[in-house]
Amino acid sequence: MDFDVNYLLAQWPALFAGLLMTLRVSLLAIGFSLLIGVLGGGVRALRVPLLGPAVALYVEVIRNTPILVQLFFIFYGLPAIGLELSLFWSGVLCLSLWAGAYQVENVRGGLATVEWGMHEAAFALSLRPWHYFCLIALPIAFRTSLPAMLNTAISLLKNSSYLQAIGLAELTFVAVDRIATDFRALEMFSAICVLYLALVALLALAAGRLAAHLQRPFRP
Amino acid sequence: MSRVLQVRGLRKHFGEHEVIKGVDLDVEAGEVVVIIGPSGSGKSTFIRCLNSLEAPSAGDVQVHGGSAAHAGDRKALAKLREEVGMVFQDYTLFPHMSVLANIMLAPVKLGRMNKAQARDTALALLERVGLRHKAEGYPAQLSGGQQQRVAIVRALAMKPKLLLFDEPTSALDPETVNEVLNVMKALASEGMTMVVVTHEMGFARDVADRVVFFDGGRIVETGPPAQIFSQPAEARTRQFLASVL
Ligand SMILES: Nc1ncnc2c1ncn2[C@@H]1O[C@H](COP(=O)(O)OP(=O)(O)O)[C@@H](O)[C@H]1O
Ligand SMILES: [Mg+2]
């Protein structure tokens, strides 16, 4: 077997740059997708006229079309209507919109588990609807939907590798680019698998910490 | 005596189904009115109309001579709610907030008090119901009776003119029922105006100034507890009391 560790060590600076790019794109998109999820999930749960159905349509379109097509639509399609984004922001937009659709459903699912009694109690105390939504319903929902939100965030991180298709220099792009010149496919793909696994593990660890924190009030 | 609550011609229907069929009720300041009646008779629906958790289909509810809530007037209904506190059967404390945060939330968010005032008020009220030491705890760490006492404090923190209770002890273990009833008794003796739906006939007898017997969406009979429990005028009242006593 021919596995050249020294080759990988020599390529580390390039891989590290790719890793950083993957991390930057993914973290930004995770943030934006959560924002989309909270706003969209709220609009869906509160059955806001017009906006509710619009969000539902968005969710259906995203969930039932290939992410690669969405990416090409953003990168190659949008400039035709005068909306030209950089490589980086095209990537962020694509991943945010993709994961946002799933986060909408996650938040909506969490909100559906909040007992109606919470709403009545808030109402009886004269709290305003936005108090109820932001201070009571969302935090309670967040705790129930955190595992699903984490799954979506992990999928987003993995799907960031599609961005190599438009030439963004993230982790997968760096690997494929190197393999084209050095033909060290086994080493490169092994290396980026390990790096993706490490990123996912870090994300899960952070979410686990957060879950434990959110769980605290509910333990007897 | 000044009148705290005045209900005139109150009706409520859900679709075709009329649940409250024209109710008039006056409650004077400091009065404790206990509503009894068979389940399904509309007691919850009625009491929920008093703080506009249900919007009345017809008639009006007036609190403290001030805000009248006619059927359909949403603004007035919201105003009315600020003057009326409510305690539910299942406590409905916010599970992710500490006891203190539960109590301080509404007074602070509605601009009634600043944080320090709200905290002092909350701690003083907790002291009165014997739960000062649970201020930093969470609802899940309390027994049912303790949670219900916190729920009462949470309602009191808004300084309501009228406090409503809908079967406040029905979800409790028998041994904790009294700790909640005792708090309610203490409130009554301090002059709190209260409307209480309950199956605790002992409480009705000892604490009520007036008992209202509710059946089929109407007030069948009302009077001081001595009269209702020993010489009810209506046959239906007699039947009901025979079945629960
Ligand atoms: N939101 C609602 N929609 C339809 N029917 C309702 C609703 N709330 C209560 N009811 C009906 O109104 C009647 C009275 O209920 P309720 O006020 O809960 O009685 P009680 O508290 O005396 O047991 C019942 O028949 C119940 O099914
Ligand atoms: Mg009831």
Side-chain angles (χ1 to χ4, degrees), chain A residues 42 46 48 111 116 118-139, chain B residues 74 78 81-82 105 109-110:
Chain A
L46 300 174
V48 180
L111 286 173
W116 185 243
M118 295 295 113
H119 184 264
E120 303 223 305
F123 198 73
L125 286 165
S126 300
L127 289 166
R128 309 295 179 235
W130 61 91
H131 291 139
Y132 168 71
F133 185 71
C134 298
L135 303 174
I136 295 161
L138 263 187
Chain B
R74 293 174 68 98
R81 211 156 45 232
E82 297 205 9
L105 182 66
K109 290 297 163 193
L110 296 172

Side-chain angles (χ1 to χ4, degrees), chain B residues 165-181:
Chain B
F165 295 82
D166 190 5
E167 300 201 26
T169 59
S170 295
L172 298 178
D173 295 329
E175 64 268 26
T176 61
V177 166
N178 278 329
E179 61 188 56
V180 172
L181 292 181

